Structures are given as C-alpha cells and as structure tokens.
C-alpha cells in the first residue's frame, strides 16, 4: 500500500495515499492531499507524489544511489529485450528449415507456438517463485537455463530437438519481462529479431542466428552476475526488523533470501499472488483486451515472411529490409503513446483539481483500437490482392503503432489501480500478449489456406473493434469495481 510518512515524536504515522485515491482518484500533486500530507515524499519537482513512498531505510531499493538504480534499469532492460528477440528469430529461419527438414511451414511454426505458450507459463511461474525465493536468484537461475537452451537451439540437428529447445527456452527466458516494467525494453525486439535473422540467413546457415542469440544471452548472464542486486523489500516491516544485507554473492544464489524467509510470505502465499491479481476484474479484462489485439499483431509478424516470399518472391535480404517498417511503427507508437499519455494526464488533472482517476489512462485506447483494426483490414486486402508491398509495410507499421499506444494505456491503468501488484500485473499482461500470439500462430496459416486472407483478416478486424467495449465497460464501471473488490492485499 502506498503511504506517506509524518514524523511525530520519532514515530511514523502513515498517511494512506491509496485510501485517498479510492475516494477521489490518484493524487498527483502533494498540495491536493486533503490533510496530513506535509511530509509525503515527492519527486525532485517538489510536488509530484511518489508512489510507492520510499521508507527511511537506505537499504530500500527506492533509496539506492542514482547510479545503482540506473545500472539495474539498464541490465534488466537488456535482459527483457532478449525473450522476444530470440523468439522472433525463428519466424524467418522457418524458410531454410522447411527445406532442410522437409516439413511444411505450418509444422515448423509449431516451435514458435510452443515457445509463446511457455513464455506465458514461465512468466507466471517466475513471479510466484520470485515472491518466495527472491527476484535475484530466480533471475540468475532462469537466465542460466535460457543460455543453455539457446545454445541447444543453435546446435539442434533435428526438428524434434530444435522444437524441444525452443519450447524450454521460452519458459526460462521470460523472467525479466514478468517481474519488471518491460514494455520500454521490448519496443523493437520482436522485429529486430527477424530483421537480423533475415540478413544472417541471406549470407550463411540458419544456426548462426541462434548462436548470435546465445552470445547475447551470455552477455545478459554476465551483466546479472556482475551488477544486479536483490530488489525485493518488505515495507510492511519496521526498519529495525528488516534483514541486514551482508553479501551480494550470497543474495545472487539466494542464500540470504532463504535465511530471511521468515520475514516474507509463505510458499502458498507467494503462489496465491498471481491468482489474487487476476481475480481483480480490471486485471482480467485488460488481459482479455490485450489477448484480443496482440494476437493479430503476433499473427501478422509470425506469418508475414511466408506471405511475402510466396506472393512477392522476397529474398531473405528483402525481408530484412522490410522489417524496418514495423520497427519504425513500434518506435512511433511508443513515442506517441507516452506523449499522449502525459498530455491526457495533465489535461485531466487540471480539470479535476490535480487528481486523476486510473480509468482516465484508458482514454488513448480509443485512438489505438481503430488504428489497429483498420490496419488489419487493409493488410488483408493488400495481401489477398497483392497490392504494392509498401502498402503492406505502412499498415503493418500502423498495427504495431496502435498496439504500442494501447500498451502504454493498459500498463498505466493497471499500475495506477494496483501499484502493490506491479509484478503480478506485468505477468498477466505478458500472459495476454503471449497467449494471444500462441493462439494466432497456431491457427493462422491453416485458417488463411481454408478461408483466404480477406475473410480471416476481416474477422480479426471485427474482434479488434469489439474489444473497445471492454474499455467502455471499465471507464463506466471500473472505479466502482475497484472499490468493491478492494486492493490486492497480499500477505507480507
């Protein structure tokens, strides 16, 4: 729970910012707090309220030196980049693998289907295990196993071996995305992966692309071993009861966290955290919205190389150049999303006495959803009727731009609504994204072969447009639902 602290006779009296937020909306400006907010901690500007509120303990990660914070952010961003980069590498390597293993593209694509499913499962498991054993040891173990399975993917000599390696890699690679704010680090990774792989297979054999993944994963492993520290801190404990950090190397292997496990939740309580999170209707509905929209983004990304090589006779070099389009779209969407997010928040707070309801964060999805839906529709016509490939590039970029804007809105809404469950919220967003991709990649090729691109993409357009009803429901009833269901109230 987010609290401010008033110091009276050397005792801390909590001022519940969450209680204020439940009544009148999230307070952004300290001067708008009803009473007792004089000692609430603010950002460097002197008026923006910090949520959660840092404690007075220098060992609190919120009180770490700026350099240590920035190093940790850099490392986790690099690590969070890798899952989608490595997963999407297999999108383009399908082309030579079809010839090598004499299997259909749909069969080869099962490696991506399994990989995406395990990305979702691995995300939930990593949040559960991290809550009990600590984030640093789980991050270390998972990235070590991801490194091993990445090398296995590169060295695989049969499709069955390659399939197993890719599925297991997905389970262990996702950990950094699941337990941290991941979107900024993976803006371009799902498209940079196939871009690099396309240029690689244009000149050499496909395993080289996965050896590149292995080398990059090894860099991530070294960064974690050399620079990362434990970030879990129980602010519910008084400062004099907080475990005293002794050795980063012992925290790296989880020994300190294990010895101090009595100060944290039980194994069962840790297991319940993701379940408690998704039991909150706004979290479940946002996961569904993400599922219904990200499914088609991944579906297009997973199959575009097949359509372009079949209809337009693209070479691997042509594919590599084509992938600059969605990269531009993702960067544009991230910039527009954050710019519009800040603009809407500023406008709303000025009209509501410095306060903002979490549901106001969803306003920009009313722009994002039509962008995605129209882009899918045009892509279906363009591919079916073999319009110029630049039209395909522009509207694929548009679809990616739309989902990035929506990502900004959903993350801000859920983190404003449930700041105490940031890791769990992030895990369920990953589930919505990856399970949508799992479904789409599993059915896309056979669905298109059976019904045609125009009909398939038309259905996807309708689903995307219909998903805005979820946003409408949350904007009308979201606050009442949050007040009725309450906070996540995890065991400390």
């Amino acid at each position: 729970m987010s609290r401010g602290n008033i110091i009276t006779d050397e005792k801390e009296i909590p001022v519940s910012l969450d209680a204020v937020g439940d009544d009148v909306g999230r307070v952004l400006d300290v001067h708008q707090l009803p009473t007792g907010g004089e000692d609430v901690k603010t950002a460097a500007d002197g008026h923006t309220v910090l949520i959660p509120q840092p404690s007075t303990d220098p060992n609190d990660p919120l009180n770490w030196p700026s350099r240590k914070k920035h190093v940790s952010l850099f490392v986790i961003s690099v690590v969070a980049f890798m899952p989608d980069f490595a997963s999407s590498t297999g999108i383009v390597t399908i082309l030579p693998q079809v010839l090598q293993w004499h299997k259909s593209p749909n069969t080869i694509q099962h490696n991506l289907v399994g990989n995406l499913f395990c990305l979702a499962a691995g995300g939930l498991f990593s949040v559960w295990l991290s809550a009990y054993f600590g984030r640093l040891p789980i991050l270390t173990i998972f990235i070590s196993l991801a490194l091993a399975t990445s090398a296995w993917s590169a060295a695989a000599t049969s499709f069955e071996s390659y399939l197993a390696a890719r599925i297991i890699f997905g389970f262990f690679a996702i950990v950094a995305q699941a337990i941290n704010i991941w979107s900024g680090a993976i803006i371009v990774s799902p498209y940079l992966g196939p871009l690099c792989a396309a240029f690689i297979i244009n000149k050499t054999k496909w395993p080289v692309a996965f050896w590149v993944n292995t080398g990059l994963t090894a860099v991530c492993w070294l960064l974690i071993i050399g620079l990362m520290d434990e970030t879990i801190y129980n602010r519910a404990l008084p400062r004099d009861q907080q475990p005293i950090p002794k050795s980063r190397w012992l925290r790296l292997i989880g020994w300190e966290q294990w010895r101090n496990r009595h100060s944290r939740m039980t194994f069962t309580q840790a297991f319940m955290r993701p379940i408690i999170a998704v039991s909150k209707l706004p979290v479940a509905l946002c996961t569904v919205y993400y599922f219904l929209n990200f499914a088609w983004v991944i579906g297009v990304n997973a199959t575009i190389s097949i359509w372009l090589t079949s209809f337009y006779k693209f070479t691997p070099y042509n594919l590599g150049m084509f992938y600059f389009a969605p990269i531009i779209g993702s960067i544009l969407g991230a910039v527009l999303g954050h710019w519009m997010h800040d603009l809407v928040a500023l406008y709303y707070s000025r009209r509501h006495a410095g306060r903002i309801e979490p549901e106001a964060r969803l306003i920009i999805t009313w722009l994002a959803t039509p962008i995605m839906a129209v882009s899918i529709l045009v892509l279906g016509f363009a591919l079916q009727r073999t319009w110029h490939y630049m039209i395909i590039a522009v509207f694929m970029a548009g679809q990616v731009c739309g989902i990035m804007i929506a990502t900004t809105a959903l993350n801000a809404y859920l983190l404003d609504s449930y700041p105490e469950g940031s890791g769990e919220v992030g895990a369920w967003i990953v589930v919505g994204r990856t399970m949508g991709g799992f479904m789409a990649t599993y059915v896309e090729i056979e669905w298109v072969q059976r019904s045609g691109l125009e009909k398939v993409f038309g259905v996807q357009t309708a689903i995307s447009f219909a998903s805005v009803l979820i946003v409408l429901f949350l904007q009308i009833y979201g606050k009442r639902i949050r007040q009725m269901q309450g906070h996540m109230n995890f065991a400390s």
Side-chain angles (χ1 to χ4, degrees):
M1 182 175 289
S2 303
R3 297 180 182 272
N5 294 301
I6 301 175
I7 311 300
T8 305
D9 297 329
E10 298 185 349
K11 294 182 180 179
E12 293 187 353
I13 302 175
V15 178
S16 176
L17 299 178
D18 284 336
V20 174
D22 288 342
D23 293 335
V24 296
R26 185 66 64 194
V27 178
L28 302 180
D29 192 330
V30 68
H31 303 301
Q32 301 298 326
L33 286 172
T35 57
E38 293 82 2
D39 293 302
V40 169
K41 295 180 177 68
T42 64
D45 59 16
H47 64 84
T48 302
V49 177
L50 295 176
I51 302 174
Q53 288 277 285
S55 67
T56 57
D57 186 355
N59 293 319
D60 184 344
L62 295 178
N63 294 325
W64 283 352
S66 178
R67 181 179 178 182
K68 185 173 183 178
K69 290 180 182 178
H70 282 89
V71 167
S72 298
L73 177 61
F74 169 75
V75 173
I76 212 67
S77 296
V78 173
V79 177
F81 172 88
M82 281 307 300
D84 288 335
F85 178 88
S87 294
S88 60
T89 295
I91 290 171
V92 174
T93 59
I94 286 176
L95 303 175
Q97 288 166 345
V98 166
L99 300 176
Q100 177 178 336
W101 288 322
H102 306 291
K103 296 183 181 295
S104 69
N106 191 49
T107 300
I108 299 295
Q109 199 176 46
H110 288 170
N111 85 88
L112 182 59
V113 173
N115 180 272
L116 287 167
F117 180 85
C118 282
L119 285 174
L124 290 177
F125 269 89
S126 65
V127 167
W128 166 29
L129 296 174
S130 297
Y132 183 71
F133 293 104
R135 290 174 182 153
L136 184 59
I138 296 302
L139 182 62
T140 305
I141 293 169
F142 272 49
I143 204 68
S144 299
L145 294 171
L147 175 60
T149 51
S150 181
W152 178 8
S153 300
T157 56
S158 68
F159 173 66
E160 290 73 20
S161 177
Y162 172 75
L163 177 64
R166 293 279 286 159
I167 291 173
I168 298 173
F169 174 85
F171 186 88
F172 292 110
I174 195 64
V175 59
Q177 290 188 11
I179 63 177
N180 290 276
I181 302 303
W182 50 265
S183 61
I186 65 161
I187 291 171
V188 300
S189 59
Y191 306 102
L192 194 58
L195 182 149
C196 294
F199 287 129
I200 288 171
I201 66 172
N202 187 57
K203 293 293 185 180
T204 186
K205 296 181 178 180
W206 67 263
V208 174
F210 289 97
W211 285 121
V212 170
N213 288 342
T214 303
L216 293 174
T217 307
V219 171
C220 294
W221 186 86
L222 290 172
L223 289 172
I224 292 168
I225 297 298
L227 299 173
M228 285 299 291
D229 205 343
E230 180 60 69
T231 60
I232 284 184
Y233 183 88
N234 187 356
R235 293 181 183 83
L237 284 180
R239 181 175 174 179
D240 58 1
Q241 296 180 24
Q242 293 287 348
I244 299 175
K246 295 179 181 178
S247 167
R248 193 183 73 85
W249 294 103
L250 291 178
R251 292 192 293 278
L252 194 69
I253 62 174
W255 179 246
E256 277 196 20
Q257 295 92 325
W258 177 252
R259 291 191 64 183
N260 296 314
R261 64 189 182 279
H262 62 276
S263 65
R264 298 196 306 276
M265 64 197 70
T266 66
F267 194 68
T268 302
Q269 290 169 338
F271 175 77
M272 289 300 298
R273 287 177 68 98
I275 298 174
I276 292 172
V278 79
S279 71
K280 306 302 180 182
L281 191 57
V283 177
L285 289 176
C286 286
T287 302
V288 172
Y289 175 90
Y290 220 50
F291 175 93
L292 295 176
N293 286 283
F294 225 116
W296 319 127
V297 175
I298 295 178
V300 169
N301 190 30
T303 57
I304 195 68
S305 62
I306 297 173
W307 312 136
L308 290 176
T309 53
S310 299
F311 303 155
Y312 296 88
K313 309 304 178 186
F314 268 34
T315 65
Y317 176 82
N318 299 143
L319 286 175
M321 297 301 294
F322 180 88
Y323 267 100
F324 279 106
I327 288 175
I328 293 170
S330 59
I331 294 173
L332 180 62
V335 172
L336 284 176
H338 285 281
W339 176 76
M340 288 189 293
H341 167 265
D342 291 341
L343 187 65
V344 168
L346 180 62
Y347 177 77
Y348 188 96
S349 63
R350 283 179 175 175
R351 291 176 60 88
H352 295 82
R355 301 179 178 91
I356 184 168
E357 296 284 358
E359 285 72 27
R361 304 292 192 183
L362 296 172
I363 291 173
I364 60 176
T365 58
W366 287 94
L367 174 65
T369 307
I371 290 175
M372 289 185 287
V374 171
S375 296
I376 299 168
L377 185 64
V378 175
L379 281 172
F381 279 99
L383 287 167
Q384 181 76 43
R385 305 184 184 197
T386 59
W387 292 349
H388 197 282
Y389 63 84
M390 285 303 297
I391 297 176
I392 300 170
V394 168
F395 282 93
M396 183 177 179
Q399 184 191 25
V400 176
C401 178
I403 198 65
M404 290 309 303
I405 295 172
T407 295
T408 302
L410 291 182
N411 279 331
Y413 170 62
L414 290 177
L415 290 175
D416 268 10
S417 299
Y418 304 105
E420 71 277 14
S422 58
E424 289 71 25
V425 163
W428 282 109
I429 287 293
V430 169
V431 168
R433 176 172 61 92
T434 52
M435 290 304 292
F438 161 75
M439 180 273 296
T441 53
Y442 188 79
V443 304
E444 189 89 344
I445 294 178
E446 289 188 354
W447 190 10
V448 168
Q449 290 173 343
R450 185 174 61 252
S451 303
L453 282 157
E454 286 184 3
K455 289 184 179 179
V456 169
F457 281 47
V459 172
Q460 294 174 5
T461 300
I463 293 172
S464 187
F465 265 123
S467 69
V468 82
L469 295 175
I470 295 174
V471 176
L472 180 62
F473 178 83
L474 287 172
Q475 288 184 311
I476 296 174
Y477 301 107
K479 182 176 181 178
R480 275 175 276 181
I481 292 170
R482 288 187 293 105
Q483 291 175 334
M484 180 181 65
Q485 290 190 302
H487 297 287
M488 292 184 178
N489 294 325
F490 298 128
S492 299

